[in-house]
Amino acid sequence: MKKIKCIVVDDEPLAVSLIGNYVGKVPFLELVFSTENPIEALEFIQKNEAELVFLDIQMPEITGINFMKIVGDKMKYILTTAYSEYALEGYEHNVVDYLLKPISFDRFNKSILKAKERFPLDDAKESGHFFVKSSGQQHRINFNEILYVESIKDYVNIKTEAQEYIVLDTLKSLENQLPENFRRVHKSFILNTEKVKSIGLKKVILTSEQEIPIGESYKMNLLDKIK
């Protein structure tokens, strides 16, 4: 899985430490730089590769808004602040999300899952497999072994012929990573069309004899793929 290179910029040392700790817990994020000085962050961006900035809006040297104006759209931003009145101003720029301090890990998770959907994917489709982190370990999953993927709140359940993997991700993100033989058939399900045994009015039966619900708005797309 391709990692998103990110930096943390906040004039509060505790905030820098907290967000850096959160980043370290997420398998698809890589912390490449953190600082309490936005000028140092600007210098780092000029010389190094980074893609996502966790950026405090209220800083003495340079405000977060001015920071975004200087860097521009080559970066994506998740804004952090203790003042909710800055939210609307922040969304005028290339902002993924807005985090109000104090930031819980659960709220952080929701934010970075939104961010993940905006980044280009790696070459997993060509390789025929990808790696996911589940139960504290990295697992290689071959696409042809997947039966379906189910959304469960902030997680997805990747069901294969042998077992299942609970992964911190979104259904939309997984949909973009899977090859063309996978189709969304319900707001909460993506299935491998090569595993379809039969299609009913409101359900799809897989070769494993498992039943998956199918939404009316998705049925024609599935039938077209199978034909």
Side-chain angles (χ1 to χ4, degrees):
M1 180 183 293
K2 180 181 181 294
K3 291 192 174 186
I4 300 170
K5 297 181 182 296
C6 54
I7 68 174
V8 178
V9 187
D10 197 306
D11 64 331
E12 299 178 7
L14 290 178
V16 172
S17 177
L18 177 68
I19 297 175
N21 180 265
Y22 285 173
V23 169
K25 295 180 179 180
V26 180
F28 56 82
L29 295 182
E30 178 185 1
L31 182 63
V32 295
F33 187 71
S34 61
T35 181
E36 301 161 30
N37 188 330
I39 296 175
E40 290 181 356
L42 291 174
E43 293 174 351
F44 179 87
I45 291 171
Q46 290 178 349
K47 302 175 182 178
N48 300 274
E49 180 183 355
E51 302 165 293
L52 176 65
V53 185
F54 293 93
L55 180 65
D56 184 26
I57 293 181
Q58 284 295 96
M59 294 181 290
E61 293 90 354
I62 300 174
T63 68
I65 301 300
N66 286 335
F67 186 98
M68 290 189 291
K69 290 178 180 179
I70 294 170
V71 176
D73 291 341
K74 71 176 183 177
M75 304 284 292
K76 293 179 175 60
Y77 307 91
I78 294 178
L79 299 181
T80 66
T81 187
Y83 304 98
S84 59
E85 62 265 26
Y86 292 104
L88 291 177
E89 183 180 7
Y91 275 124
E92 294 177 1
H93 301 274
N94 188 24
V95 174
V96 174
D97 202 2
Y98 180 93
L99 295 176
L100 185 63
K101 298 176 182 177
I103 303 166
S104 69
F105 186 60
D106 179 66
R107 182 64 184 87
F108 177 86
N109 273 343
K110 293 178 181 179
S111 184
I112 54 94
L113 288 175
K114 288 174 62 176
K116 188 172 184 285
E117 295 174 0
R118 298 201 186 186
F119 285 90
L121 305 171
D122 56 19
D123 58 355
K125 292 182 181 180
E126 297 181 6
S127 68
H129 68 270
F130 59 5
F131 285 86
V132 299
K133 186 174 183 179
S134 178
S135 300
Q137 295 181 322
Q138 292 286 343
H139 301 270
R140 170 175 166 153
I141 302 179
N142 296 323
F143 295 140
N144 60 9
E145 296 175 351
I146 298 175
L147 296 172
Y148 63 85
V149 182
E150 178 184 6
S151 174
I152 308 174
K153 293 186 178 181
D154 295 333
Y155 295 81
V156 293
N157 176 20
I158 303 174
K159 176 66 175 179
T160 71
E161 297 169 346
Q163 64 187 95
E164 58 186 25
Y165 305 87
I166 305 299
V167 179
L168 177 63
D169 212 329
T170 64
L171 204 63
K172 181 177 178 60
S173 175
L174 262 293
E175 187 175 22
N176 291 335
Q177 297 179 59
L178 294 168
E180 289 298 313
N181 56 296
F182 285 82
R183 283 290 188 274
R184 177 81 73 99
V185 296
H186 185 273
K187 64 180 181 180
S188 300
F189 286 90
I190 297 172
L191 62 75
N192 184 348
T193 59
E194 295 178 356
K195 306 295 184 180
V196 174
K197 181 178 180 180
S198 63
I199 302 174
L201 291 176
K202 295 184 178 181
K203 65 183 179 182
V204 178
I205 300 177
L206 305 180
T207 53
S208 61
E209 300 301 332
Q210 291 177 285
E211 297 181 357
I212 302 298
I214 183 170
E216 187 63 33
S217 60
Y218 298 97
K219 184 178 293 185
M220 188 59 66
N221 184 34
L222 176 61
L223 291 172
D224 288 343
K225 174 59 181 177
I226 291 177
K227 290 178 182 179

